[in-house]
Amino acid sequence: MTASSRHFVLAAGGTGGHLTPAFALAHELERRGHHVALITDERGAAIPGKPDFLTTHVLPAGRFGKNPLKWIGGIMAVLKGRSMAKRVYENFNPSAVIGFGGYPALPALLGAQAMNIPTVIHEQNAVLGRVNRLMAGRVDAIALSYPAVDRLKAKYEDKTVLVGNPVRPGVLALRDEPFPAFTEDGLFRVLVTGGSQGARVLSEVVPDGLSMLAPALRARLQVTQQCRPEDLEAVRARYAGHDIPAELGSYFEDMAARLADAHLFIGRAGASTIAELTAVGRPAILVPLPIATDDHQAANVREVVKAGGARSIRQHNFTAKELAKQINAMAQRPETLANAAHGAWNCGRPDAAKDLADLIDSFGGADMMDVIRVGSSEKRSAEQVTQAATRETAE
């Protein structure tokens, strides 16, 4: 698609789950010759992996907990952030503002709407997040990562577009690489991670679970595990006690390369994690975070589990014995693991960044976006999406 250079603003909360797809979209828009800026909070401004070309603006983000007495402070912060966002737009003149969820996206989107700038939200999870729920009726388009998204009202269907969850270019480059050879006498490489800071339950359960594998499988283990810094020595001692070779760290810069080599992934079910697993095609045992808002990680696993690409264990059932049982079932025969890898790969949406950029490109310049999947089978253009949003606003 060719289009004249324009300006776009991405707004996202300060977590990797919000910012990873925002960064992927920024790369695609910059590749097309557009100028991109980011609105986030202090955490987001400091997060690793931010593109060098991405100018960042830090806005106050009001938080709204269960205590109504604290809402006044949250409202004041949102209003201040809205005013600051409007000043950014006056100088930057964006063709559209794209929200990726998280509290910093709220004042950014409200500021854009006050200035009649088109707005789009992208939902990474299989449950519509709080800020996206609040803004769904007011934005011009809603980009989804899953065909079925909980807490999304049916009346917004006409402006929803299924694009997937954009992943890092380095991970996406692995999609056409074959699943690493897994033979009856070769290494069995397991990658364990609980997100940017690891997860204590994985540190406590996984070493013992791997020690209970069938002897022939256990003897071939080669483990890489990301842990919390304070857990490293205890986990190292657990693996040493089981005589299982394991490389441990609190952060791995070359995570894409480690995912490329892995035969099995064990970890949480965050949106970016699942997007990367399905982009590459790696079997997984997923343990949804039980305290995730609206239990969205449990919803995130539905599609890949149904496709046979992963198994899900709720945390209260995540014991060493259950983990060993599931791994034995997946890995005792090479073809079983390879089939699971193919099931995960089939759930991948490798064109997510491109499709989302096509949608964004349709605001403020292009006549029509490329055809993008909507719902389970329909196809709509961004022009139709925008018309539907206009009708919704009028109603």
Side-chain angles (χ1 to χ4, degrees):
M1 176 181 293
T2 60
S4 58
S5 177
R6 297 192 301 284
H7 292 186
F8 295 99
V9 172
L10 314 184
T15 67
H18 295 305
L19 284 167
T20 296
F23 292 165
L25 175 62
H27 278 292
E28 176 62 21
L29 290 174
E30 197 268 346
R31 186 189 67 80
R32 299 181 183 202
H34 300 312
H35 302 282
V36 191
L38 173 70
I39 286 177
T40 186
D41 55 19
E42 292 182 356
R43 290 185 306 163
I47 202 166
K50 183 170 69 69
D52 294 337
F53 62 81
L54 196 58
T55 302
T56 302
H57 304 273
V58 175
L59 265 62
R63 296 181 179 274
F64 301 89
K66 296 181 179 180
N67 184 357
L69 296 178
K70 297 183 178 180
W71 290 359
I72 295 177
I75 293 171
M76 295 301 293
V78 169
L79 292 175
K80 181 180 179 180
R82 176 178 176 269
S83 296
M84 292 174 65
K86 290 170 68 176
R87 289 197 293 272
V88 171
Y89 304 153
E90 287 172 356
N91 294 324
F92 195 63
N93 191 28
S95 294
V97 175
I98 304 91
F100 286 84
Y103 288 109
L106 179 57
L109 292 168
L110 290 174
Q113 291 169 351
M115 298 177 68
N116 294 317
I117 298 169
T119 52
V120 177
I121 55 175
H122 177 270
E123 179 56 59
Q124 300 89 53
N125 294 295
V127 180
L128 201 65
R130 290 177 179 175
V131 169
N132 283 349
R133 286 203 299 272
L134 182 63
M135 300 304 296
R138 304 180 60 174
V139 297
D140 297 288
I142 303 170
L144 304 178
S145 300
Y146 294 92
V149 175
D150 297 345
R151 307 199 71 167
L152 175 64
K153 294 180 179 179
K155 65 180 180 179
Y156 301 144
E157 181 181 354
D158 284 348
K159 60 178 178 179
T160 62
V161 183
L162 176 62
V163 299
N165 193 14
V167 301
R168 296 170 290 174
V171 172
L172 190 59
L174 303 172
R175 181 163 176 83
D176 293 329
E177 298 294 324
F179 183 63
F182 181 64
T183 61
E184 293 183 356
D185 56 358
L187 289 175
F188 177 31
R189 291 187 290 271
V190 177
L191 176 63
V192 186
T193 174
S196 59
Q197 294 297 318
R200 179 154 294 163
V201 68
L202 299 174
S203 297
E204 294 172 348
V205 172
V206 173
D208 295 344
L210 294 177
S211 75
M212 297 179 182
L213 292 179
L217 199 56
R218 171 180 164 164
R220 298 153 50 200
L221 276 170
Q222 187 177 78
V223 181
T224 299
Q225 182 161 348
Q226 182 189 51
C227 312
R228 294 177 183 270
E230 61 269 27
D231 295 338
L232 279 171
E233 292 309 313
V235 178
R236 187 171 285 114
R238 282 178 182 263
Y239 278 114
H242 295 311
D243 196 26
I244 295 174
E247 180 183 2
L248 308 178
S250 58
Y251 179 74
F252 294 112
E253 291 187 0
D254 58 343
M255 189 61 76
R258 294 173 186 274
L259 184 60
D261 289 338
H263 296 113
L264 179 67
F265 174 90
I266 302 173
R268 292 298 194 189
S272 291
T273 294
I274 293 181
E276 293 189 351
L277 290 171
T278 55
V280 178
R282 291 297 178 269
I285 292 177
L286 301 169
V287 186
L289 179 67
I291 60 172
T293 305
D294 298 316
D295 202 20
H296 65 255
Q297 289 200 3
N300 288 349
V301 306
R302 292 183 304 212
E303 183 182 32
V304 68
V305 168
K306 183 178 180 179
R311 299 188 180 209
S312 178
I313 306 175
R314 297 308 295 254
Q315 185 160 310
H316 63 273
N317 293 324
F318 186 59
T319 63
K321 183 177 180 181
E322 180 63 21
L323 176 62
K325 174 185 173 182
Q326 297 296 339
I327 297 176
N328 279 325
M330 293 181 75
Q332 276 192 329
R333 294 190 303 276
E335 64 271 18
T336 304
L337 207 58
N339 288 339
H342 187 64
W345 191 90
N346 281 339
C347 293
R349 295 184 174 86
D351 293 330
K354 174 184 175 297
D355 287 349
L356 182 55
D358 285 347
L359 173 63
I360 304 309
D361 245 339
S362 69
F363 293 98
D367 293 330
M368 186 80 69
M369 75 180 211
D370 287 349
V371 173
I372 293 180
R373 294 163 293 176
V374 180
S376 59
S377 60
E378 298 179 40
K379 294 181 175 65
R380 292 189 178 91
S381 71
E383 181 179 340
Q384 291 170 313
V385 170
T386 305
Q387 290 172 351
T390 302
R391 292 195 300 270
E392 175 66 31
T393 302
E395 293 172 359

